[in-house]
Amino acid sequence: MSHNLTRVKRVHNPKYQPSGLKSYVFLLNKYNFGPTKPGPYFQGGKVQQKGKHGLGRLFGGKAQVQKVLQKRNTTDGQPGDVPAEDQQNDSQYLCTVTVGTPPQTFKLDFDTGSADLWVWSTELPKSTNTSGHNVFDPKKSSTFKKTVGSSWKISYGDGSNASGDVGTDNVDVGGLVIQKQSIELAKTLSAQFSSGVGDGLLGLAFGSINTVAPKPVATPVENMIAQTDIPKISELFTAYLGSYKDKNDPDHGASFYTFGYLDEKALNGQTPYYTPIDNSKGFWQFNSTTASVGSKKIQRAGNTAIADTGTTLALVDDSLCKAIYDAIPGAKYDDQQQGYLIPSNITVDQLPVVSFDVGGKEFAVQKEDLTFADAGDGFTYGGIQSRGDLPFDILGDTWLKGIYAIFDQGNKRFGAVVRDDPTQDPSVPASQ
């Protein structure tokens, strides 16, 4: 079988406004963990009549006490709901994918931390503001077939959700066409899901955490493998995540995914380092038992981490967080921002080299990615923050930008090589 394999470019979203706290609140929702550092957001309990799968405990009858993300009122300290505008609901980078016959084009967030492929659809209520979005119309695709009796629902820790029906159709990812791929059509979108410019999401985690009921469906990569759309010897995809800060580097900030092959230019003559993954929770999870901050080596016995392209920050345990920011002159923790801040006038030589272990070998965060977004008053929100009560690290774009990441699904392993970015710029744009 011939394979038409090309790069799938990540396109920067010009409307994206980076916000440290909003990005952190998004992660509190996505992974439903409790903060362990002080701030306005916390995990409270609410009694609800109809619970969500896997959350809370029975509290008589059909009621459940569920863990719900809440926000303290700034005036009286009383708990309340988290407004949609308090979290980052937009994607910094999006990839173009087409669905159906003839093809309908969508800009999707590629996310190794989830396993659903969902799109905006004509099944949304007429009152939905679809301005600026590409909306899938199944009636205009001759290859679409509805999956009778199936539905999907993604729920976050604040009660926000997206849900709808399911069908199958042809999906084109960078010229590679997946036949009869399950597509999840949005029928309802709460504000947290509808306020960004993206048209949906393409999950690259494992199908065991797909939300389609009564039976989860295969992910695009699982179908690429089953349909031999990608070579048997390369049942993998890769992520090369660039940045606007890299425009003066040799790769000029190139940003892309590949499916079914390793990009030789991205490898840059290096041999990938691989480590086995544990996908029992559906994630790209591996052992990460050490870290380094400057010349200080930190032992983290039993620790694991997941690689998540759908996360802008990196989240680690509180003791490691403290060690990192203790090594940065003038850095501090801010209760109102619920995160660590770095002086905006910090220079590259003042920043330590911070590295995380990948199954026996450490890979560093680029110094320029230790700073994430303007926090006001002469400070910048740090790219590494607390993982709260989560039992594992989340290594998002902050860390992934420093490597060429290889997600080898066929061999159940994660690989990496160091990305060549000689120019480092820790400055961030001022908030608009």
Side-chain angles (χ1 to χ4, degrees):
M1 174 177 220
S2 63
H3 301 282
N4 181 23
L5 306 176
T6 61
R7 291 180 176 185
V8 180
K9 291 183 180 180
R10 292 170 87 230
V11 179
H12 184 259
N13 171 10
K15 295 183 179 180
Y16 179 82
Q17 295 293 325
S19 166
L21 182 54
K22 288 185 178 183
S23 293
Y24 190 62
V25 174
F26 170 79
L27 290 174
L28 289 171
N29 261 328
K30 179 178 179 179
Y31 286 98
N32 198 25
F33 66 91
T36 50
K37 300 289 290 181
Y41 301 93
F42 68 100
Q43 210 170 52
K46 274 190 175 181
V47 178
Q48 296 187 358
Q49 290 300 314
K50 291 185 179 180
K52 296 170 194 165
H53 174 70
L55 296 177
R57 63 182 188 275
L58 289 176
F59 192 70
K62 293 184 179 179
Q64 285 185 319
V65 176
Q66 296 186 339
K67 295 188 297 181
V68 177
L69 184 66
Q70 295 181 294
K71 181 183 182 180
R72 292 184 182 87
N73 189 297
T74 54
T75 54
D76 58 14
Q78 292 299 307
D81 293 335
V82 178
E85 61 269 19
D86 274 26
Q87 64 178 295
Q88 181 57 269
N89 301 309
D90 210 352
S91 300
Q92 190 170 11
Y93 291 91
L94 298 164
C95 297
T96 300
V97 171
T98 68
V99 179
T101 308
Q104 300 176 43
T105 302
F106 304 92
K107 289 183 170 59
L108 304 182
D109 182 10
F110 282 21
D111 182 5
T112 59
S114 59
D116 289 83
L117 168 51
W118 69 267
V119 293
W120 283 59
S121 82
T122 51
E123 295 188 0
L124 287 163
K126 299 293 184 185
S127 59
T128 305
N129 181 8
T130 59
S131 176
H133 288 279
N134 299 304
V135 179
F136 181 62
D137 186 347
K139 294 179 180 178
K140 292 183 178 179
S141 173
S142 62
T143 45
F144 178 84
K145 184 177 181 181
K146 186 171 183 178
T147 306
V148 179
S150 289
S151 61
W152 65 281
K153 184 176 183 179
I154 299 173
S155 300
Y156 282 172
D158 63 348
S160 60
N161 63 78
S163 63
D165 297 329
V166 183
T168 59
D169 211 333
N170 298 338
V171 175
D172 186 324
V173 181
L176 191 157
V177 180
I178 312 164
Q179 307 286 334
K180 298 179 181 179
Q181 171 63 46
S182 289
I183 310 291
E184 299 162 33
L185 280 58
K187 199 171 185 177
T188 63
L189 292 175
S190 59
Q192 287 87 337
F193 286 85
S194 62
S195 56
V197 301
D199 306 316
L201 180 143
L202 190 148
L204 294 169
F206 292 86
S208 59
I209 58 172
N210 175 267
T211 71
V212 172
K215 183 181 178 181
V217 298
T219 67
V221 174
E222 288 170 343
N223 276 332
M224 288 179 192
I225 292 171
Q227 298 175 17
T228 63
D229 295 321
I230 55 180
K232 182 70 177 174
I233 59 171
S234 300
E235 296 177 342
L236 54 81
F237 64 94
T238 74
Y240 192 79
L241 309 186
S243 166
Y244 68 91
K245 293 183 177 182
D246 300 331
K247 61 181 181 294
N248 294 321
D249 286 322
D251 62 10
H252 304 294
S255 192
F256 59 86
Y257 288 86
T258 71
F259 292 86
Y261 75 101
L262 301 180
D263 189 284
E264 290 299 327
K265 285 187 177 180
L267 287 174
N268 196 28
Q270 302 175 79
T271 300
Y273 177 85
Y274 290 101
T275 189
I277 60 158
D278 174 5
N279 68 343
S280 61
K281 296 183 179 69
F283 298 123
W284 289 89
Q285 190 164 5
F286 47 82
N287 290 332
S288 184
T289 59
T290 66
S292 294
V293 181
S295 60
K296 183 180 179 182
K297 189 96 162 184
I298 299 168
Q299 299 298 322
R300 311 176 72 205
N303 189 68
T304 62
I306 70 170
D308 182 4
T309 60
T311 293
T312 51
L313 304 171
L315 305 185
V316 300
D317 67 84
D318 288 347
S319 61
L320 178 54
C321 248
K322 185 175 186 304
I324 292 169
Y325 289 97
D326 280 351
I328 299 175
K332 65 178 183 178
Y333 183 83
D334 185 276
D335 288 8
Q336 293 305 308
Q337 301 263 15
Q338 204 151 350
Y340 284 94
L341 309 183
I342 298 172
S344 299
N345 61 357
I346 199 83
T347 59
V348 170
D349 61 339
Q350 291 177 301
L351 291 167
V353 175
V354 178
S355 304
F356 300 123
D357 173 41
V358 178
K361 182 177 181 179
E362 291 188 4
F363 290 85
V365 176
Q366 295 185 94
K367 287 188 175 184
E368 68 184 11
D369 293 315
L370 291 172
T371 58
F372 175 65
D374 183 27
D377 298 324
F379 281 89
T380 300
Y381 200 85
I384 301 170
Q385 298 293 340
S386 166
R387 73 185 194 193
D389 62 9
L390 265 182
F392 51 82
D393 298 341
I394 301 176
L395 300 181
D397 290 5
T398 288
W399 178 73
L400 289 167
K401 287 177 183 177
I403 64 171
Y404 178 39
I406 302 163
F407 299 83
D408 190 340
Q409 198 141 328
N411 293 304
K412 290 187 172 58
R413 61 182 183 172
F414 177 81
V417 299
V418 177
R419 182 169 177 156
D420 182 25
D421 283 330
T423 306
Q424 296 293 297
D425 177 11
S427 65
V428 297
S431 297
Q432 295 182 9

